Amino acid sequence: MDRSENTRETVLKASRAYYAHLAYYEDLLAQRDRRAAKTTERELDFLEFAFHTHATRRVRDVLDVACGNGPHVIGLANRGYQCTGQDYTPERVQIAKARAKREGVSVKLSQGDATRLEYQNEFDAVLALKILFLLPNDDDAMKSLRQIHRALRSGGILVCNIYNPLYAGKGWFSGVITKGLYVEESHARGIRITTINQLQDFEPIQGAAWEKETSIIEAPDGINIFRDRERVRLFTYWDILHYLQVAGFKENKCYPDWKTKPPKKPKAKMLIFVSRKD
Ligand SMILES: C[S@@+](CC[C@H](N)C(=O)[O-])C[C@H]1O[C@@H](n2cnc3c(N)ncnc32)[C@H](O)[C@@H]1O
């Protein structure tokens, strides 16, 4: 892997372009795809379960540090929480603002970097969903977790998640990493998003990869094709547990696949960590 490819600026620039290109279309799909809406509702149920089970204070104020188009932060606002969301990609923030308005909920939304959080003892829960493995390097991941710890009130919780690199079944992350290719098609009324994901470069020592994605979008505004790249870090359970502990979280529980009662042999495609600040 060419070293210049991995500077903070290069990774952030690629990520921003990718998430900007897809923002509008993913939102349209989310509005029209009933199955995706159900999945989000199940994730929101899990988050509320985590708030009730793991926080030792009542959860009212919630921060989402990479809220994307806002599925969780707006979903929780709909369920009565006081929500703040930020995202690095301004296009995603705009889409989230429009969605909050559409749904008639008040959410504080702004552009921001998950590694530049300046909050102190302000939240009862923080979400860092599908973001840690996208940050440009491990120092950033560590920095973000420390800042999240500072942002939480005592007894509050962090919920963060990663794709498990030890899962080799069907899915985007495993497909790209293990087979080098993953093709996916999602559609709803009037919109179809086809993505071709290819492994472009893999760094086997530090466990990081660049993936190349071609998105073919058929939507009301015509056919669009975007070519993007994204860097992903292959964090394992142990990496995240260690970073959480170094960041100050002593109580850490991991749930596979958003399941409040994991089966005996979980697939563990995704690992969801719930960590409490003392
Ligand atoms: C895979 S999406 C996850 C969105 C949402 N959390 C979810 O679970 O649906 C990753 C999001 O992280 C954002 N992002 C990437 N780098 C970031 C950074 N350094 N700080 C904050 N957000 C970032 C992207 O713009 C994108 O919206």
Side-chain angles (χ1 to χ4, degrees), residues 73-75 77-80 97 99-107:
V73 81
I74 295 170
N78 270 317
R79 293 184 182 204
K97 281 185 178 168
R99 178 171 176 175
K101 194 170 172 198
R102 205 166 59 230
E103 297 189 14
V105 285
S106 160
V107 182

Side-chain angles (χ1 to χ4, degrees), residues 42 49 61 74 85 96 130 132 151 154 216 221 230 241 251 254:
R42 278 199 296 273
F49 155 83
D61 297 305
I74 295 170
K130 293 202 279 187
L132 293 175
S154 167
I216 303 155
D221 65 350
E230 185 171 44
L241 184 65
E251 295 278 332
C254 180

